[in-house]
Amino acid sequence: MTSKTLTHLQRLEAESIHILREVAAEAENPVMLYSVGKDSAVMLHLAKKAFYPSPPPFPLMHVDTTWKFQDMYKLRDKAARDAGMELIVYQNPEAREKGINPFDHGSLHTDMWKTEGLKQALDKHGFDAAFGGARRDEEKSRAKERVFSFRTASHRWDPKNQRPELWRLYNARKAKGESMRVFPISNWTELDIWQYIHLEGIEIVPLYMAEERPTVERDGMLLMVDDDRFPLKEGETPVMRSIRFRTLGCYPLTGAVESTAKTLPEVIQETLLTTTSERQGRAIDHDQAASMEKKKQEGYF
Amino acid sequence: MTTQDKDPIYKTDALIAEDIDAYLETHQHKTMLRFITCGSVDDGKSTLIGRLLYDSKMIFEDQLATLEADSKKSGTQGEGIDFALLVDGLAAEREQGITIDVAYRFFATEKRKFIVADTPGHEQYTRNMVTGASTADLAVILIDARKGVLTQTKRHSYLVNLLGIKNVVLAVNKMDLVDYSQEVFDQIVADYTEFAASIGIEAFVPIPISGYMGDNITAPSENTPWYKGTALLPHLETVEIESTKEPKSAPFRMPVQWVNRPNLDFRGFSGLIASGVIQPGDPVRVLPSGKTSKVAKIVTYEGDRAMAVAGEAVTLTLEDEIDCSRGQVIVAAQSPLEVADQFESTIIWMDEQEMVPGRAYWLKIGTQMVSATVQQPKYEVNVNTQEQLATKTLDLNAIGVANITTDREIPFAPYVENHDLGGFILVDKISNQTVAAGMINFALRRAQNIHWQATDIDRDAHAAMKNQKPAVVWLTGLSGSGKSTIGNIVERKLARMNRHTFLLDGDNVRHGLNKDLGFTEADRIENIRRVGEVAKLMTDAGLIVITAFISPFRSEREMVRQMMQPGEFVEVFVDTPLEVAEARDVKGLYAKARSGQLKNFTGIDSPYEAPDAPEIRVDTTEMTPEEAADAIIARLIP
């Protein structure tokens, strides 16, 4: 064998590894934000590859809302252990104190636990670079996000003031107090992610695969009753349905789809044949048009 | 829906439903094509991309529902679907109805995955187009069939060629609006052929299309029976690009990104292979040090490899323990890269603040960052006419050719040979913004012929003879702030202590060494550079140098600081408020500046950038010159 053509997944993988290494080499105190979802799983897997045989030279951090699915917590702890990385779990103490939850507080839940929580966690540990698993194909405003995205000292994103990114050259210089979010899987699509998980045998939360689970239907969304904090309304009784999730977040905010796809290839099959986009399952995107962009300017990932 | 919905081939794939495993198997072997679309504002770029997404089933029902609603609200296509709304991103842009940044879009067919850079057609956004083009394998240049080859078309074609994109598609759009006329199409192709040849585009593929109606997008259109070529998407699926070709016999090159040291027994060099092929046992050379060794192993997470090729990210271990760090380049031993510190390069300026010749910027090339200065451009290129114009600087979106000097030798390849080893960015040292992109054309020979002459009596010996530690006391502040007065007292006091000093005064230097310089920004920078070099020679001679210069720009003071040994540069900010300095007006200069007789006067019509963290700050409204001098001496001689 003297020659070889790289496939699209191999090119994407090499690009992501290059980005991960650039940050490890240039940032003073990087961290990988880990949400336990499939994108995070791929990002973590790429980090293991990028630095092998060393463990990734930065910690994993989960900005927790206390409202994730139980299965997510289980995999989170295991994944960090397997990668040989330190796991930092951060919960916004103010949100905890006030008992902020998705049932009573609407969008305040995301603001306080996630947006504020993330800012607090980054400040507390003095991280100057945070990897995130966002992809450009997820949403319109993300399509224009840079791979290295700069935030002011107050964590704001200014879409008008982002640095041009040419070739494979990323400018990681910044003033004291400023930080950057880095998105190593910017150029991956949902299908790329699934194919890569399949090809590489990456462990993901079982909730992505269909199973009989207790559910209730609310506002057109199918919600899973993951624990006894779920306040059932009068006349509501959880119904067992065969469901799976296309994205994972806080369980009261994450809509399931009815499905019988129990294996990864079956999930990919459904994904390819499906007619609705991935983010439709997330309540926060329905707030208003261009809502993601608003949230991003405020500091939500 | 008024849009056509014709070719089902790209919309469903029977294999998905029938045999998902077989489908996955084929799709894992897809290749990838990155391309840019460029055209003028109304040429229909966004519509074309929206159409490609739609035809390749990348638009989901919920997005389509939003799209239909949006089309009714703010679309420009009446009752039809406005595909442009699908790809125009940020909210503000959507309201203005224009795309103002680079947006990346994704779609896939059964043969390839595509990444599209949607780049803007507005004149002031050259920087975005260059950004999008830098990673593209192919460019689709759109022309409105009703308008033909415009100035914008020429500009985009010039940039595409400048960035080294070899595959060009000329998409003559809106054919539906010229009745699918072959005559119109042929005329445009003829016009473009002539122009393309004149700027060095060797070949291009012209296709008549309608993004809005879907003609010749996925399949040959019945409306253009006279067109015998392939439709756009089949062309994009099959065109041969660099990364799908057999790797040429290009020599091996890998910039080292990260040194991998998990423990004392393992030392690997991680990087992305920029060209060529590597196998264990291959002899390699590390540049710029020139040390040689052989590849021991190609280490990856999946296990050691027998071979790795351009485009792969790997970790190499070498047979010998040789020095190698981030920024160095591992190359095939028998065909090393050139190493130099002076280059002619083409520069695209991307910042609101114009280029300052002589100022030091960070230059990032491959994985290394060095300090570099850009000389006054040889010329600027008018991107519309490709004429060469004389210029003193480059401002936002200007493209020019200039010599660059780096503070150390770097391994490189001309950009035309290798984009990874010949493309660079310039970063402002104060704002940290990426201010320019550049491409190395060639190294200047003179750099290789001047060597540093080592002398036996070195700077330490000079200093030891004088029994003192050399230093540069750099007094900076407004005209009339008291720099010379304080400098003079410092020197007097040091002389009394038997210290050997020299005072360089701003006015005095301009009578001789810097007689040829005026007060423009570029001249002021050169003034400070020369003074810095003189001060450096004097510290090499063991002297304590005191300088009194307004030196208004942070970058240049920083540049002088970098010239000196660590700790040798003592920046003294003589802080006098403008009103106070102006009230003193010892030399009558403020009065002249106020009356307009004196131009570029610091504090009046030229800025003074106060130091952020000077070693010493002297507040002359609270301290006498004597007290200030004592504070400075206390720092020099503790």
Side-chain angles (χ1 to χ4, degrees), chain B residues 194-211:
Chain B
E194 194 181 326
F195 167 72
S198 77
I199 60 163
I201 293 180
E202 287 160 13
F204 65 94
V205 176
I207 305 177
I209 63 163
S210 166

Side-chain angles (χ1 to χ4, degrees), chain B residues 205-246:
Chain B
V205 176
I207 305 177
I209 63 163
S210 166
Y212 178 56
M213 300 298 290
D215 295 292
N216 288 322
I217 301 295
T218 58
S221 167
E222 288 161 13
N223 296 318
T224 55
W226 43 267
Y227 174 68
K228 303 296 176 212
T230 47
L232 180 61
L233 199 49
H235 176 70
L236 297 178
E237 278 185 313
T238 52
V239 62
E240 197 181 27
I241 52 170
E242 210 53 48
S243 67
T244 59
K245 282 181 194 163
E246 295 283 298

Side-chain angles (χ1 to χ4, degrees), chain B residues 511-532:
Chain B
H511 283 290
L513 176 66
N514 292 352
K515 200 173 175 166
D516 56 327
L517 299 176
F519 289 89
T520 61
E521 196 170 351
D523 279 359
R524 295 190 126 162
I525 291 171
E526 178 59 14
N527 184 41
I528 297 304
R529 188 192 70 81
R530 290 186 198 173
V531 170

Side-chain angles (χ1 to χ4, degrees), chain B residues 358-391:
Chain B
R359 174 167 289 176
Y361 296 97
W362 294 117
L363 179 148
K364 186 171 185 185
I365 181 167
T367 55
Q368 77 175 331
M369 189 84 119
V370 297
S371 188
T373 53
V374 189
Q375 325 274 289
Q376 183 172 313
K378 294 177 178 173
Y379 58 85
E380 179 183 340
V381 179
N382 177 329
V383 277
N384 296 327
T385 61
Q386 290 75 54
E387 278 175 298
Q388 297 180 1
L389 311 167
T391 182

Side-chain angles (χ1 to χ4, degrees), chain A residues 134 138-139 142 246-247 276-286 292 300-301, chain B residues 62:
Chain A
E138 278 176 81
E139 203 266 344
R142 289 230 206 262
R246 295 180 63 191
T247 70
T276 55
S277 72
E278 169 182 31
R279 281 204 163 259
Q280 208 212 7
R282 290 198 191 173
I284 63 164
D285 285 356
H286 294 298
M292 277 303 291
Y300 174 74
F301 221 77
Chain B
D62 55 331

